[in-house]
Structures are given as C-alpha cells and as structure tokens.
Amino acid sequence: MSSPLRVTVWNEFRHEKNNPRVAALYPQGIHEALAAPLRAQPDLAVRTATLDEPDHGLSPETLAATDVLIWWGHKAHREVSDDTVAAVRTRVLEGMGLVVLHSGHYSKIFKALMGDTCSLKWRESTDKERLWTVLPSHPIAEGVGPYFELEREEMYGEPFGIPTPDELIFISWFTGGEVFRSGATWRRGHGKIFYFRPGHETYPTYHHATVQRVILNAVRWARPTVCLKDAAPRTEPLEPLPPDPDAAARPTAGHR
Amino acid sequence: MSSPLRVTVWNEFRHEKNNPRVAALYPQGIHEALAAPLRAQPDLAVRTATLDEPDHGLSPETLAATDVLIWWGHKAHREVSDDTVAAVRTRVLEGMGLVVLHSGHYSKIFKALMGDTCSLKWRESTDKERLWTVLPSHPIAEGVGPYFELEREEMYGEPFGIPTPDELIFISWFTGGEVFRSGATWRRGHGKIFYFRPGHETYPTYHHATVQRVILNAVRWARPTVCLKDAAPRTEPLEPLPPDPDAAARPTAGHR
Amino acid sequence: MSSPLRVTVWNEFRHEKNNPRVAALYPQGIHEALAAPLRAQPDLAVRTATLDEPDHGLSPETLAATDVLIWWGHKAHREVSDDTVAAVRTRVLEGMGLVVLHSGHYSKIFKALMGDTCSLKWRESTDKERLWTVLPSHPIAEGVGPYFELEREEMYGEPFGIPTPDELIFISWFTGGEVFRSGATWRRGHGKIFYFRPGHETYPTYHHATVQRVILNAVRWARPTVCLKDAAPRTEPLEPLPPDPDAAARPTAGHR
Amino acid sequence: MSSPLRVTVWNEFRHEKNNPRVAALYPQGIHEALAAPLRAQPDLAVRTATLDEPDHGLSPETLAATDVLIWWGHKAHREVSDDTVAAVRTRVLEGMGLVVLHSGHYSKIFKALMGDTCSLKWRESTDKERLWTVLPSHPIAEGVGPYFELEREEMYGEPFGIPTPDELIFISWFTGGEVFRSGATWRRGHGKIFYFRPGHETYPTYHHATVQRVILNAVRWARPTVCLKDAAPRTEPLEPLPPDPDAAARPTAGHR
C-alpha cells in the first residue's frame, strides 16, 4: 500500500472572524470546509494552516511534508510574509502541487509563479455562474459533466492577466454578460499548478458537491511525480571536444 | 510616415572593463556591438543603458520612451535594484517588448516574468553551437535558413527551467552532446518576450550576421501592439440581474 | 512599394439562392459582403470564388495566386471535391493563410487541418452574442476593444472539438447560457489558420463593422512569411561520423 | 481490483520477413518485441495486430476492445486501407490512446490526426542518438533520468512538420549534428496521442530498457479517461430567451 498524499489547506481565515454572514456559511472557516471532503478520502492525509499561526502555519517542516498545497486568500495578501512566499515558491519548483482558489489569483504566490498581472474584472451581485467543461478528457474534469452551475457567485470577467495556460479546462458564463477562464493549469519547475475560480466567501460555494469534486480531482492531478535532485549545473562533455587552449583561464564550477 | 520604434539596449558592462579578452572582442561594450546594426535601420531609434549609470540607465523617462528593451547581464544580476526590476516588469506588462540574451536567463527581470527556476546546465569550452530553426514561418526566423552555426560558444544544456513557451523557434546542438531550446517566446500582460541563447562574452557572437538578424527580427516582432488602459476592475453588468437584497452590504469599487 | 496581398474569398453561395431571407441580407452573396470592405484596402487584391464555379473557383492558378483564403460553407460541405480540399491543404502547408468562418468549422478543409472532431453544440434562436477579447495584444484583436456584441446570432456552444489553439483570442457569451472559444489560431506547415465563429447566414453579421475589422486583421496576420522550398529529406551529416560498414546496404535517397 | 488496460500493438511486419538483418534483431517481429515487456505488467492485457491479417488485424471488435493502440509502420503506409484509418481515427476521438513510433510519423493515421506535413529529414548511418528529457515531471519521463543514449539509430532532423505539441518531453541529439523533437503529446477529441521517435528496424532499439520504459509509461498515460457520449448538438437554452418570431421557420435538430 502506498503512502498517503499529504495535503495542506491554507486559508487567510479573516472574513470568517469579522463578517457574520461568512461565519454563518463557514463556521469552522473556509479551510475546514475545504478539508472535510478531502479527509473522507482514505488515500489523503490532510492538515490545515492559516495566516495568523506562526509562520502562517507553513513552517519548513510543514512545507517539506506537503505534497499538494491549497490556497485561499483575499483581503490580506500583503500580510503574507515574503519569506513564506519564497519558501512556498521553492517547494512548488521542487515538485509540490499548488491549487489556487478564487481571490487567490491576486496572492503573492500566484503572481510570483505566473509572472503576470493576474488582474481581472469583478462584481459581487446576483450573478449565476455556469462553468462549462472545455477539456472533458482531463482528469480534473472527471465526473463533472458538460457543465455545472452555482446559483450565485461573485463575477470574474476577462481579460484575465495570465500566461497562456498549458491546459484550459473550464470557462464560466455569468448572468451579467461576462465570461472567464475559470479552470486552468501550468507547470513551474517540477510543480503543477491549478487555478480554480469559484469560492467567494459570501456564498456557500465550497459546500457544492461538484466544486468539491473538482478540488479533489485537482489535488490528485497535482501530486508530485518526480523528486529529482538537480545535477550540478557545470557539466562535463558527453562527446569529445577539441583541445581547449584557454582551459586554464576558464571559470570553475562555483562561479555562479 | 510612422514614428520610429524606440529600442533601448541594456548591458551590465562589467566584463568588458575587467577582462582584456572580452574588451578585445567588444571594445565599446556589448551594448554598442548590439546597438550598431540596429542603428543602421531607418525605422529604429536606438539608445543604450548600462548598470553603473544612475538608475542603471533606466530612468522612468527612458523606460516610458522605450518600445523594446534588450537585456544582457551575467555576473552582476544581484546589483540590479529591485525598484528597477519592478519598473521594467510594469512596462513589459503594459506592452513593452523584451529581448533577453544569453546569461540574462538568470536576470531578476527574466525570472520575475517567467516565475520559474530558469536554471540550466553550462560549460565554457570548445563547443560548436548549431541552431536549428524549428518554426521557420515565424517572423523571428525570417532570413535565417534551416540552421546557422557559431564556431565556438558556451554550452547551455537542458533541462531549461522555463514555462512552456508560446512558440519554440530554435533548438541548439552542441559538440559535447547537449541540446537546448535556444529561441522561445512568451506573452506577459500586453508585452511580448523573446529569449535568445547565444552571446557569451568571451566569443565574438554579436558580430555574427545571423545573430544580428535574429535580434533585429525579434525587436520588430516584440513591438507593442496595444496601448489599452485597463478599465476599472469593478464592473457593472451588461445584462439585467435579479434584484440584490444585499446590495447595501456590498463592497465598493475601492475595496481591492 | 510592395506587391499587394492577394486574398480569395470562397463562399458556398447556396443559401442566398434558395432562402429569400438570406438573399435579402446578402443580395450579392456572402462572398461579396466579405470582399467589399477588403477591396477598400489599397494593399489588398481581392477576388471571390464559389462552389458552383468550375473547380469550385479554386483552379490551380487561382490557388497559386492566393496569399490568404477566406472560407464560408455550411450545408454543402460534402459537395466540395476531395481534390480541391487536397489542393487547398497543400497550399496552406506551403504557407497560404486560411481564415475559416462560422459553419466552416465542419468544412472538409478545416477538419483535415485540425485532425479533430470540430464538433460543437448549436441553436438558431434569439440569442445575443458578446465576444470578449482575451488576448488584447494580438494583432487580430487590434481596434476591437474589450468586447463587441451581435444583437442576434446562432449560438455555438462548448465543448468545441478542436486541438489546443496556439492562441485563444475571443470567447463568446450567449444569452441562452453558453460560452464558446470563438477566435483561435493554429499553425500547420508554413501556413497560419484563424477560425472566427460569427456569421450565420440568416443574420446581418458580415455587415457589422467590428466583424469586418477582425476579418481584415486576420487577413493581414495570416499572410505568408516564408516561401522555403523544403530541402531533400535524405540529408548528409554536418559533423564527422564513424565509418559505416553497412553503407552499401543502405537505402538511397529515393526510398521514401 | 480494476479491469486491465487493453493494449493492441500494431506492426506493419514486412521488413522482418524480407530483410535478414531485421529478422535477426526481431525474430518474432517488432510487434512481439514491443508486446513482451508490456505483457510482463499485471495491469495490462496485450494483443498484437499486423498489416497482412484480415482488417489489418483491427476489426471493429478489436478496436472496440482496445484502450491504447501502439503503431509501427514504415514502407507500407499506403497499404493500410482508408477504412481502417477512419475507424482508428474515430476510436481515438472517442478516447482511445495512440502511441505512434518512429517511421509512423508518416502513417496515414498520424497525418490524419495531426493535419500537418509530418515531414522531417533523415539519414541511416552511424549516428548515436542521445535523448534529453526536457519535461522531467511528465509521467512519460518517469524513471528515464536526464538523458539516455542509443548507440546507433537512424537520424531524424528538424524541421519536423507537426502542430505545436501540447507537451514536449524529449529532444534528441545526433552525432551528425542534428536535433529532433523526439517525444511529444497532443489531444484529439477525447484521445491522447504520444509520438516517440526511436525504433528503426535495423537497430535493436526496442530491446533497450529505457525505450521499453518510455513506451510503458506512455501506454499508462494515454489510457482513456472519459467515456462521454456526446449530447445531441442541437441544444435547448439554459436561460430564458426573448420570443422568437421566426421559430416556425427554423431548422430542426436533424438538419446537420
């Protein structure tokens, strides 16, 4: 039997403390709502972490023991320390999967990995969202069907300032007339990244079965597949080279 | 008659001052060797900038007056100020083209825009490099032919830690047995980015006619094509929405 | 002064003869409605071709003198001869641009170049279509703005059975609740291909200024950029090889 | 316990009968050399099929019972019937995986699915091939390491006339000075396709452990992930539409 996939669910966990409406929807916090259906899976080992814990709950030990990290943040992106962002970035490049949710599009870690504006248009109102599956053969879309609906959600609209996705899986339709690339993947280093749009804190989105299914699918898809230690960058030739009259003047392996 | 395309050639300009071999190859600096063939083009207006000038030669006025920026750096990446990197990044996202050369793969600006390791393997020896054109219909490959050769160059080898390129134009063969994706493009924001591998400071690479042709092609390809001012992100619906009982409790446009 | 870009507008030209409603919208045929705004451009040389002409209007001479071909077909895809499809395919692979409109998604030529189902969902009713620009820096989107609307159009819905586009430029929103990737590009051989969704025959879509602008942009974008004659596939080594004891038994250049 | 993955290995099986050198390398045929290591996997059910069997060994029943098809062909591509090609294409679009080997780049089925020239340069001589892993986190590269070598192989050189791969996994170096994109993936319909370069009939390539590992990885990667029956293309609106005064004149669902 293989060892479990280790998932850490990170949540800003501020709205739940300050906004009774959010607290009513997510009494234990968004992180617990996200973690609950994952904990029901026997092959997953799930923990949570939040902004106001020491190291934002992401100590070196925790990160080293995380295979896939889920990220929910919104109004306190700036409070996440640059050191934590750098540590998470390093782990993603080493192979840790990353699932970024909703307003996490503007988190420091997502912007650092995308290298783009990550900007979009938005409206919090009475829009319905309908997510269309445009890549039904992708494992993240498994069990989703042609589309699914969220009766009310915050609207996110194009243009979404992201690099060309490696894979575009979902596109959203909104009542108010907008569209959005709401599920997309990228690789960075050895790590796999999935961005998934739904989940504004004032709606019960993370209690929706299909949303939970997509996140579970994404966690499994994003699991690390290699643990290569990169070789020394200064490398010897594999084929014979002509003699090098300047060899003595060359830099040695440590020069950069 | 249209206004000229404004090109700024940025060079670290350190090796030329400290290494007689480099000085012999590039007596006015790599930036001037890069600028000379561009200056011969009537549709281009070319200036240079170097690390040790105030603002690294990239004042807000200069950046605002630059359509395409060429970047060569190597041993002093860390000396480029974070403020300058942020300013260049902003301009790229607004639409400025960026052509990153050779060891610029490890520059702060390239890493910030790629969001990846940008690592590779290397060897400074007696390798020949042969660059194969794999996308001959791309404007950057115009006039290049099936391949071109650099009799001696530093070797760069895969794996190259970059996001999937939007377009892969050249792949290099090296005598010592390695290959490398040596010409590739990405979009970030409204800006177009081209990475081009050749140009180690101890070889006369930037005097090579085909290398000069590729860089000229890249400058024209990377020119800005839009100057959109992004609209306010908080957006009104284009279609009728149901009434919103919670409207009074909604955040206003300035909340993020 | 450079020679003009030679554009051929191909139209099935059947609905206009049989359906008074279509005839009222396009009295000279859809091809003439498409050609008229292109003819106003001094750098373009425009001709038309239709299904019921000899060789479907696409003789070898016409194809050889076409830089960019525009394709509109719907109910008579099967009547296009396989020879003509093969000839158009060959020209695209040699570098001719191809702009495929609306129901041309099911044309033989588009399916042959995509290698995919090219299937979609559809409804002819009272939908409004709003096309969002998701890649505003692309030359095909120049002058379009964040979105444009067609008051009534046939609905096309995802999943659209296409290979991953090289570039996704427009996504459509429809009143009835669907979305669609309505502007996308691919390269095949040396040729560039743009698919553009709008243009059902029972709506006045091709009289819409922005639709005309997109098609003009696409024609300019799709122009051939190389006229390489491919070298002989059997190729001599560029570097020394070990002696070949089996050389006498090797196939010669003509074996495939 | 889940049901086995059903693999069919297709081989032209002509060289082995006519060329003693090939017969010595592959006495039971290339198909049996490919099938043997797959048969050692308990989760796979493997059969073979060859050109000269009835239906080329690919009856409707066999295709319906195949999850992943491996394809090796070379000098008899034209003898594969168009009906068989159409049947295989349909199955791929429905979700069957396809692994195309070496000279299969010019098979009817690969060309039909790519929609491109699929042309390349080649030389049968004494080249060594070294395949570099450029996407080490991809499951097809699992266990391969940074590179592997084939002491002698036929050379294939760029430009390779393929659509932009969804994923580029391997790039080859050849002694004679060429490079080649030797491992790449695409999606068509619900099916996943992997092209893998090595395997000329006059070399013992398919007895090489790493080559066998890549093919095994590819088979597992290419397994079908959905069995969606596509809905009727004529679709009802999900949101209210304005009344349609022309409804009576509309085409019904069967019109295309």
Side-chain angles (χ1 to χ4, degrees):
Chain A
M1 184 183 163
S2 58
S3 51
L5 188 63
R6 301 163 302 173
V7 181
T8 300
V9 180
W10 191 90
N11 179 22
E12 187 179 285
F13 198 27
R14 290 279 177 83
H15 291 288
E16 299 93 326
K17 296 171 182 168
N18 300 323
N19 184 335
R21 209 168 139 213
V22 180
L25 290 166
Y26 300 108
Q28 269 73 47
I30 285 174
H31 50 296
E32 290 297 336
L34 290 166
L38 301 175
R39 288 198 175 107
Q41 301 292 324
D43 58 324
L44 306 185
V46 182
R47 72 173 89 193
T48 65
T50 58
L51 179 66
D52 293 326
E53 297 174 56
D55 291 324
H56 309 315
L58 297 173
S59 68
E61 296 72 29
T62 297
L63 278 177
T66 299
D67 295 313
V68 179
L69 178 64
I70 298 175
W71 195 273
W72 196 100
H74 184 209
K75 66 178 182 178
H77 294 317
R78 292 182 195 177
E79 295 183 48
V80 179
S81 78
D82 289 344
D83 285 352
T84 294
V85 173
V88 172
R89 181 181 180 278
T90 296
R91 276 290 292 154
V92 170
L93 298 180
E94 289 171 354
M96 182 179 74
L98 180 67
V99 177
V100 175
L101 296 174
H102 190 61
S103 41
H105 75 92
Y106 252 9
S107 62
K108 287 182 179 180
I109 183 61
F110 188 64
K111 291 201 288 186
L113 289 164
M114 293 294 105
D116 215 319
T117 67
C118 300
S119 63
L120 49 79
K121 292 190 297 188
W122 62 275
R123 174 180 59 245
E124 192 180 347
S125 183
T126 55
D127 288 88
K128 178 194 299 185
E129 177 177 16
R130 180 179 295 110
L131 293 99
W132 288 93
T133 303
V134 300
L135 195 58
S137 62
H138 197 283
I140 293 180
E142 199 177 329
V144 170
Y147 67 87
F148 66 100
E149 297 180 352
L150 302 169
E151 273 311 301
R152 286 186 60 180
E153 249 291 354
E154 187 181 24
M155 185 283 296
Y156 277 10
E158 294 281 346
F160 186 16
I162 48 172
T164 310
D166 290 344
E167 300 162 314
L168 177 60
I169 304 176
F170 302 115
I171 297 177
S172 286
W173 177 101
F174 290 96
T175 315
E178 291 87 358
V179 298
F180 195 73
R181 287 171 290 174
S182 51
T185 77
W186 299 264
R187 289 172 186 268
R188 291 291 183 271
H190 297 317
K192 288 186 265 184
I193 301 166
F194 177 60
Y195 174 78
F196 189 44
R197 200 213 75 80
H200 196 62
E201 68 273 6
T202 58
Y203 305 96
T205 300
Y206 295 125
H207 300 301
H208 189 286
T210 307
V211 169
Q212 294 177 349
R213 174 69 185 265
V214 169
I215 293 170
L216 172 60
N217 288 345
V219 163
R220 293 210 169 104
W221 167 84
R223 71 183 180 281
T225 47
V226 286
C227 297
L228 286 183
K229 282 291 165 192
D230 289 324
R234 172 73 171 82
T235 191
E236 295 302 315
L238 297 159
E239 302 289 332
L241 289 178
D244 183 357
D246 306 315
R250 299 284 179 207
T252 56
H255 99 298
R256 62 171 108 181
Chain B
M1 182 182 166
S2 58
S3 51
L5 188 64
R6 301 163 301 172
V7 182
T8 300
V9 180
W10 192 90
N11 179 22
E12 187 179 286
F13 199 27
R14 290 279 177 86
H15 291 288
E16 299 92 327
K17 295 172 182 168
N18 300 324
N19 184 335
R21 208 166 139 213
V22 180
L25 290 167
Y26 300 109
Q28 269 74 49
I30 285 174
H31 51 295
E32 289 298 335
L34 289 166
L38 301 175
R39 288 198 174 108
Q41 300 294 322
D43 58 323
L44 305 185
V46 182
R47 73 173 88 191
T48 65
T50 58
L51 178 64
D52 292 326
E53 296 174 55
D55 291 325
H56 309 315
L58 298 173
S59 68
E61 296 72 28
T62 297
L63 278 177
T66 298
D67 295 314
V68 179
L69 178 64
I70 298 176
W71 194 274
W72 196 100
H74 184 208
K75 65 178 182 178
H77 293 319
R78 292 183 194 174
E79 295 183 46
V80 179
S81 78
D82 289 345
D83 285 352
T84 294
V85 173
V88 172
R89 182 180 180 279
T90 297
R91 276 289 292 154
V92 169
L93 298 180
E94 290 171 353
M96 183 180 73
L98 180 68
V99 177
V100 176
L101 296 174
H102 189 62
S103 40
H105 75 91
Y106 252 9
S107 62
K108 287 182 179 178
I109 182 61
F110 188 64
K111 290 201 288 186
L113 289 164
M114 293 294 106
D116 214 319
T117 68
C118 301
S119 63
L120 47 80
K121 291 190 298 186
W122 61 275
R123 174 178 61 244
E124 192 180 347
S125 183
T126 56
D127 288 89
K128 179 193 296 182
E129 178 176 15
R130 180 178 294 109
L131 293 99
W132 288 93
T133 304
V134 301
L135 195 57
S137 62
H138 197 283
I140 292 180
E142 198 177 330
V144 169
Y147 67 88
F148 67 100
E149 298 179 352
L150 302 170
E151 274 311 302
R152 287 185 59 179
E153 249 291 354
E154 188 182 25
M155 186 282 296
Y156 276 10
E158 293 281 343
F160 186 16
I162 48 173
T164 309
D166 290 343
E167 298 162 316
L168 177 60
I169 305 176
F170 302 114
I171 297 177
S172 288
W173 176 101
F174 290 95
T175 314
E178 291 87 359
V179 298
F180 195 73
R181 286 171 289 174
S182 50
T185 77
W186 300 264
R187 291 171 185 268
R188 290 292 182 272
H190 298 317
K192 287 185 266 184
I193 301 166
F194 177 59
Y195 174 78
F196 189 43
R197 199 213 74 82
H200 196 63
E201 68 274 5
T202 58
Y203 304 97
T205 300
Y206 294 126
H207 300 302
H208 189 287
T210 307
V211 169
Q212 293 176 349
R213 174 67 186 267
V214 169
I215 294 170
L216 172 60
N217 287 346
V219 163
R220 292 211 170 104
W221 167 82
R223 70 184 180 280
T225 47
V226 286
C227 299
L228 285 184
K229 284 292 167 193
D230 289 326
R234 172 71 170 82
T235 191
E236 295 302 315
L238 298 159
E239 302 289 332
L241 290 177
D244 183 359
D246 306 314
R250 298 287 178 205
T252 56
H255 99 300
R256 60 171 109 182
Chain C
M1 184 184 163
S2 58
S3 50
L5 188 64
R6 300 163 301 174
V7 182
T8 299
V9 180
W10 191 89
N11 179 21
E12 187 179 286
F13 199 28
R14 290 279 177 85
H15 290 289
E16 299 93 325
K17 295 172 183 168
N18 301 323
N19 183 336
R21 210 164 138 213
V22 180
L25 290 167
Y26 299 109
Q28 269 73 47
I30 285 174
H31 51 296
E32 290 298 334
L34 290 165
L38 301 175
R39 288 200 174 106
Q41 300 294 322
D43 59 323
L44 305 185
V46 182
R47 73 173 88 191
T48 65
T50 57
L51 179 66
D52 293 326
E53 296 174 57
D55 292 323
H56 308 316
L58 297 173
S59 67
E61 296 72 29
T62 296
L63 278 177
T66 298
D67 294 314
V68 179
L69 178 64
I70 297 175
W71 194 274
W72 197 99
H74 184 209
K75 65 178 183 178
H77 293 318
R78 292 183 195 176
E79 295 182 45
V80 178
S81 78
D82 289 344
D83 285 352
T84 293
V85 173
V88 172
R89 182 180 180 279
T90 296
R91 276 291 291 155
V92 170
L93 298 180
E94 289 172 352
M96 182 179 74
L98 180 66
V99 177
V100 175
L101 298 175
H102 191 61
S103 42
H105 75 93
Y106 252 9
S107 63
K108 287 182 179 178
I109 182 62
F110 189 64
K111 291 201 288 185
L113 289 163
M114 292 297 105
D116 214 319
T117 67
C118 300
S119 62
L120 48 80
K121 292 189 298 187
W122 62 274
R123 174 180 60 245
E124 193 180 347
S125 183
T126 55
D127 288 88
K128 180 194 300 184
E129 177 176 17
R130 180 179 295 108
L131 293 99
W132 288 93
T133 304
V134 300
L135 195 56
S137 63
H138 197 284
I140 292 179
E142 200 178 327
V144 170
Y147 67 86
F148 67 99
E149 297 179 352
L150 301 170
E151 274 310 302
R152 286 185 60 180
E153 248 292 354
E154 187 181 24
M155 186 283 294
Y156 277 10
E158 293 281 347
F160 186 16
I162 48 173
T164 309
D166 290 344
E167 299 162 315
L168 177 59
I169 304 176
F170 302 114
I171 297 177
S172 288
W173 177 101
F174 290 95
T175 314
E178 291 88 0
V179 298
F180 195 74
R181 288 171 289 174
S182 50
T185 77
W186 299 263
R187 290 172 186 268
R188 291 291 182 271
H190 297 317
K192 288 187 264 182
I193 302 166
F194 177 59
Y195 175 78
F196 189 45
R197 199 213 75 81
H200 196 62
E201 69 273 6
T202 57
Y203 304 97
T205 300
Y206 294 126
H207 300 301
H208 189 287
T210 306
V211 169
Q212 293 176 350
R213 175 67 185 267
V214 169
I215 294 170
L216 172 61
N217 289 345
V219 163
R220 291 211 170 104
W221 167 84
R223 70 183 179 283
T225 47
V226 287
C227 297
L228 286 183
K229 283 290 165 195
D230 288 325
R234 173 72 172 83
T235 190
E236 295 302 315
L238 297 159
E239 302 289 332
L241 289 179
D244 184 356
D246 306 316
R250 298 286 179 208
T252 56
H255 100 298
R256 61 170 112 182
Chain D
M1 183 182 164
S2 58
S3 50
L5 188 64
R6 301 164 301 173
V7 182
T8 300
V9 181
W10 191 91
N11 179 22
E12 186 179 287
F13 199 27
R14 291 279 177 85
H15 292 288
E16 299 93 328
K17 295 173 183 167
N18 301 323
N19 184 335
R21 209 165 139 213
V22 180
L25 290 166
Y26 300 109
Q28 269 74 49
I30 285 174
H31 50 295
E32 289 298 334
L34 290 165
L38 301 175
R39 288 199 174 106
Q41 301 294 324
D43 58 324
L44 305 185
V46 182
R47 71 173 91 190
T48 65
T50 57
L51 179 66
D52 292 325
E53 296 174 56
D55 291 324
H56 309 316
L58 298 172
S59 67
E61 295 71 28
T62 297
L63 278 177
T66 298
D67 294 314
V68 178
L69 177 65
I70 298 177
W71 193 273
W72 197 100
H74 184 209
K75 65 177 183 179
H77 293 318
R78 291 183 196 175
E79 296 182 45
V80 178
S81 78
D82 289 344
D83 285 352
T84 295
V85 173
V88 172
R89 181 181 181 278
T90 296
R91 276 291 291 154
V92 170
L93 299 180
E94 288 172 353
M96 182 180 72
L98 181 67
V99 177
V100 175
L101 297 174
H102 190 61
S103 40
H105 76 91
Y106 252 8
S107 62
K108 287 182 179 178
I109 183 61
F110 189 63
K111 292 201 287 187
L113 289 163
M114 293 294 107
D116 213 319
T117 66
C118 300
S119 62
L120 48 80
K121 291 190 299 187
W122 62 275
R123 175 179 59 246
E124 192 180 347
S125 183
T126 57
D127 288 89
K128 179 195 298 183
E129 177 175 16
R130 181 178 294 110
L131 293 98
W132 288 93
T133 304
V134 300
L135 194 57
S137 62
H138 197 283
I140 292 180
E142 199 178 330
V144 170
Y147 67 87
F148 67 100
E149 298 179 352
L150 302 170
E151 275 310 302
R152 286 184 62 179
E153 248 291 354
E154 188 181 25
M155 187 282 297
Y156 276 10
E158 294 280 345
F160 186 16
I162 48 173
T164 308
D166 289 344
E167 299 162 314
L168 177 60
I169 304 176
F170 302 114
I171 298 177
S172 287
W173 177 101
F174 290 95
T175 313
E178 291 87 359
V179 298
F180 195 73
R181 287 171 288 173
S182 49
T185 77
W186 298 263
R187 289 173 187 267
R188 292 291 182 271
H190 297 318
K192 288 187 265 184
I193 301 167
F194 178 58
Y195 175 79
F196 189 43
R197 199 215 75 83
H200 196 63
E201 68 273 5
T202 58
Y203 305 98
T205 300
Y206 294 126
H207 300 301
H208 189 287
T210 308
V211 169
Q212 292 176 352
R213 174 67 185 267
V214 169
I215 293 170
L216 171 61
N217 288 344
V219 163
R220 291 211 171 105
W221 167 84
R223 70 184 179 281
T225 47
V226 284
C227 297
L228 286 183
K229 284 291 166 193
D230 289 325
R234 173 73 170 84
T235 191
E236 293 303 314
L238 297 158
E239 302 289 332
L241 290 178
D244 184 356
D246 306 314
R250 298 286 178 206
T252 57
H255 101 299
R256 59 171 111 181

